[in-house]
């Protein structure tokens, strides 16, 4: 099933589930919903919506459904960025890179990670020649 796009709140909940390896609705309502003042029924609705969109699986364990993300938190974020670039930047990462180059919020660690990514891209490009 092709995964459909999700909203900001759904993305947060999906990451929450992925980071924990799986949760019940009650656990998600307590840990994710309560700090955001979301009712248990709202969290349940969001989880079922994420399941129908293909982002969560569920299985019955001791009479209670446990929900599990179909990908890791890193994969979820990567896919969210990809959808953002495709939908909002016409598939071009140049505006995003321009933002990063002008941003004062980039930490030294993040800058080093970007340098590693560029080096990996350079190696791949050299290999493809």
């Amino acid at each position: 099933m092709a995964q459909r796009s999700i909203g900001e709140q759904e993305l947060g909940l999906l990451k929450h589930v992925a980071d924990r390896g799986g949760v019940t609705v009650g656990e998600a309502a307590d840990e994710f919903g309560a700090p955001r003042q979301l009712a248990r029924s709202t969290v349940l609705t969001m989880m079922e919506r994420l399941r129908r969109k293909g982002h969560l699986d569920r299985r019955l364990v001791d009479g209670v459904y446990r929900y599990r993300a179909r990908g890791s938190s890193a994969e979820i974020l990567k896919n969210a960025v990809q959808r953002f670039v495709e939908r909002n930047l016409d598939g071009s990462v140049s505006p995003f890179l321009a933002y990063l180059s002008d941003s004062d919020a980039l930490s030294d660690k993040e800058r080093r990670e970007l340098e590693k990514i560029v080096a990996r891209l350079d190696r791949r490009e050299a290999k493809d020649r």
Side-chain angles (χ1 to χ4, degrees), residues 57-114:
D57 288 324
R58 75 173 187 192
R59 62 176 239 236
L60 200 57
V61 177
D62 297 328
V64 178
Y65 280 114
R66 290 204 63 83
Y67 291 78
R68 181 183 61 80
R70 289 190 172 175
S72 68
S73 192
E75 291 169 330
I76 291 164
L77 288 176
K78 180 181 174 184
N79 290 334
V81 169
Q82 180 180 356
R83 285 190 305 272
F84 173 80
V85 168
E86 290 171 357
R87 186 176 49 234
N88 300 94
L89 304 177
D90 294 327
S92 173
V93 296
S94 294
F96 184 67
L97 295 174
Y99 162 77
L100 289 176
S101 70
D102 291 337
S103 175
D104 293 332
L106 201 61
S107 71
D108 288 341
K109 180 182 178 189
E110 291 167 325
R111 186 183 52 73
R112 287 191 301 275
E113 288 175 18
L114 283 173

Side-chain angles (χ1 to χ4, degrees), residues 6-19:
I6 60 177
E8 187 176 325
Q9 190 88 279
E10 288 176 322
L11 179 61
L13 178 56
L14 183 56
K15 283 183 54 214
H16 176 85
V17 174
D19 289 343

